[in-house]
């Protein structure tokens, strides 16, 4: 067994080094290695575990998507309800995206469908108001 302190070659059954008296085997300290020229000594970096921030639910995203789809479907049948649903869909989708919640795809779908349904709803409201103004009502 080779001594980790002085490098002397001892017999395998030896507990202590014959040359320097250092304890051999598992209890012996490991020799300190010097870094090569130009190398930095190895330092072990420990990283602390940081759990990801907890994401909130998908309620706003689902509400936005449902309101957007309903406003698109009802845009041809009912005059003012799609406008209100589209506004709610835009607000809920924006809150969901701004709050970094789950369901980002549903929030985007709700925003898109709500904005698409807002265009004919706004045009319908403007046309109705202009017709009423022209009729003198």
């Amino acid at each position: 067994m080779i001594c980790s302190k002085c490098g002397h070659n001892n017999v395998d059954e030896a507990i202590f080094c014959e040359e320097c008296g250092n304890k051999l085997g598992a209890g012996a300290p490991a020799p300190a290695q010097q870094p090569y020229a130009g190398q930095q000594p190895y330092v072990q970096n420990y990283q602390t575990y940081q759990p990801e921030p907890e994401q909130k639910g998908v309620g706003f995203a689902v509400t936005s998507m449902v309101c957007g789809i309903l406003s698109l479907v009802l845009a041809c049948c009912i005059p003012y309800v799609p406008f209100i649903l589209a506004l709610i869909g835009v607000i809920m989708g924006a809150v969901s995206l701004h709050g970094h919640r789950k369901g980002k795809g549903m929030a985007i779908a709700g925003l898109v469908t709500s904005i698409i349904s807002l265009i004919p709803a706004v045009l319908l409201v403007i046309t109705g108001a202009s017709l009423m103004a022209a009729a003198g009502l």
Side-chain angles (χ1 to χ4, degrees):
M1 181 170 287
I2 298 175
C3 177
S4 61
K5 187 174 180 184
C6 69
H8 180 73
N9 192 6
N10 299 291
V11 292
D12 289 337
E13 295 83 22
I15 297 174
F16 295 99
C17 177
E18 297 170 355
E19 188 70 29
C20 67
N22 186 35
K23 185 172 183 179
L24 300 174
Q33 287 184 324
Q34 298 295 325
Y36 297 110
Q39 280 187 335
Q40 296 291 332
Y42 176 73
V43 178
Q44 196 169 15
N45 292 329
Y46 292 101
Q47 295 179 350
T48 58
Y49 173 70
Q50 296 286 337
E52 290 187 21
E54 195 173 306
Q55 290 186 335
K56 299 169 186 143
V58 296
F60 285 111
V62 170
T63 304
S64 172
M65 190 173 70
V66 168
C67 286
I69 292 170
L70 283 176
S71 64
L72 275 176
V73 170
L74 297 177
C76 63
C77 306
I78 304 170
Y80 295 107
V81 174
F83 182 73
I84 295 168
L85 287 173
L87 285 177
I88 292 171
V90 167
I91 292 168
M92 293 293 186
V95 167
S96 178
L97 287 176
H98 183 70
H100 303 292
R101 298 171 183 267
K102 292 181 181 178
K104 183 178 179 182
M106 287 187 286
I108 292 172
L111 272 174
V112 169
T113 54
S114 296
I115 290 170
I116 289 172
S117 68
L118 266 177
I119 295 168
V122 168
L123 291 176
L124 185 65
V125 169
I126 291 172
T127 304
S130 63
L131 288 175
M132 290 177 73
L137 296 175

